[in-house]
Amino acid sequence: SRPRSSDFDLRTLAVVRRGRQNRSMTDTRIPAPLLDGVERTTGPVPAWTILWLHGLGDSGEGFAPIVPELIRPGWPALRFVFPHAPVRAVTINGGMRMRAWYDIAHMDLANRADETGVAESIEQVEALIAREAERGIPPERLILAGFSQGGAVTLAVGLRRRIPLAGLVALSTYLPAPEKAAAALRAGAERQPLFMAHGLYDPVVPYVAGEHSAAILRHMGFAPAWHRYPMAHQVCTEELNDLGDWLEARFATASTAG
């Protein structure tokens, strides 16, 4: 079946939510020299951070409206950080300059991600993770999430983490340079909880690419929570509900361990 009318893409959600920000949230800017971006906080003293990376051609503003759709009563206070990717020329789009975490020179997934650009983005994301530690949020209370290109960078960062994060979220995406992934894997990184989701009718990153990436990660020792939905290259209500359940489990696990 095709996506239901209750499903939505992020552009629709942005329109619906524009001007209806939850009064309990505050907006601030990420200062230089870190990546610029947008923040949403759900309480005065955030105990957790969710660092969310957008897709090709989008910006941090594109995903910020999901916060009120995702959060639930009883959750700890959260800081959502939505950084803007740098503006760069993208080869497959005729060299047009846009926000992108890396260049895309080919459509085939094996060679789609520019490795130099991915490496630069890993460093930029790690700088944001380090900044959260300085603000009192250690890696064990930080979730790294990403959609499409942002999801690819999320997986690349996750493989290389010396200190595991509280969890990884990879939506409608793929594992970049899969043939080199095993060599990049840090000992213990596979213990990070991983949520992956994909649309069955995705024309941008085919469903089989996401499924294959999950299989590779599973072979490397990860235990991805894999979800699929009758949608295209987007996010749907059911997906956010499932992600909310997964996040709630992360918060509960940390609370029990503490």
Side-chain angles (χ1 to χ4, degrees):
S1 60
R2 292 288 173 179
R4 303 180 298 278
S5 59
S6 61
D7 291 348
F8 54 85
D9 62 24
L10 292 172
R11 294 182 185 277
T12 301
L13 180 57
V15 171
V16 171
R17 289 293 174 183
R18 188 172 294 129
R20 277 181 56 195
Q21 294 300 330
N22 189 311
R23 291 183 180 179
S24 67
M25 301 173 193
T26 59
D27 297 358
T28 56
R29 308 297 295 180
I30 299 175
L34 299 175
L35 289 176
D36 189 23
V38 174
E39 294 186 5
R40 301 284 189 266
T41 57
T42 65
V45 184
W48 286 69
T49 292
I50 298 180
L51 175 56
W52 195 300
L53 312 181
H54 63 77
L56 176 66
D58 200 357
S59 72
E61 297 282 359
F63 271 93
I66 73 165
V67 174
E69 297 291 335
L70 186 60
I71 61 175
R72 299 179 180 181
W75 279 10
L78 305 174
R79 177 187 294 120
F80 285 82
V81 179
F82 300 97
H84 303 317
V87 174
R88 69 181 78 215
V90 177
T91 302
I92 62 165
N93 287 342
M96 184 181 299
R97 294 182 63 78
M98 62 186 65
R99 293 197 181 278
W101 296 107
Y102 50 84
D103 185 26
I104 299 177
H106 308 280
M107 286 305 297
D108 63 294
L109 289 172
N111 300 298
R112 179 175 292 193
D114 161 43
E115 292 187 38
T116 299
V118 171
E120 292 172 353
S121 291
I122 290 172
E123 291 183 4
Q124 291 166 331
V125 171
E126 287 289 356
L128 290 171
I129 293 172
R131 194 275 299 271
E132 290 307 297
E134 293 172 356
R135 295 203 285 184
I137 309 297
E140 59 266 26
R141 284 191 275 117
L142 186 145
I143 303 286
L144 179 60
F147 175 82
S148 195
Q149 252 204 358
V153 172
T154 291
L155 293 175
V157 170
L159 288 177
R160 295 162 173 81
R161 283 295 301 174
R162 294 178 182 274
I163 302 175
L165 300 174
L168 306 169
V169 177
L171 309 178
S172 302
T173 192
Y174 59 95
L175 180 65
E179 73 285 354
K180 300 179 181 179
L185 181 66
R186 295 284 186 182
E190 73 281 358
R191 295 197 298 269
Q192 296 169 109
L194 172 60
F195 180 98
M196 297 185 73
H198 218 102
L200 291 168
Y201 311 119
D202 192 331
V204 179
V205 180
Y207 174 80
V208 293
E211 192 174 44
H212 180 61
S213 295
I216 293 173
L217 290 163
R218 196 173 292 113
H219 182 72
M220 293 168 61
F222 285 87
W226 175 254
H227 299 264
R228 61 181 186 176
Y229 306 95
M231 64 179 185
H233 196 63
Q234 62 189 96
V235 172
C236 69
T237 303
E238 184 181 358
E239 182 178 17
L240 288 182
N241 289 338
D242 290 338
L243 177 56
D245 290 343
W246 183 86
L247 288 170
E248 192 157 320
R250 305 283 73 74
F251 303 147
T253 298
S255 177
T256 302

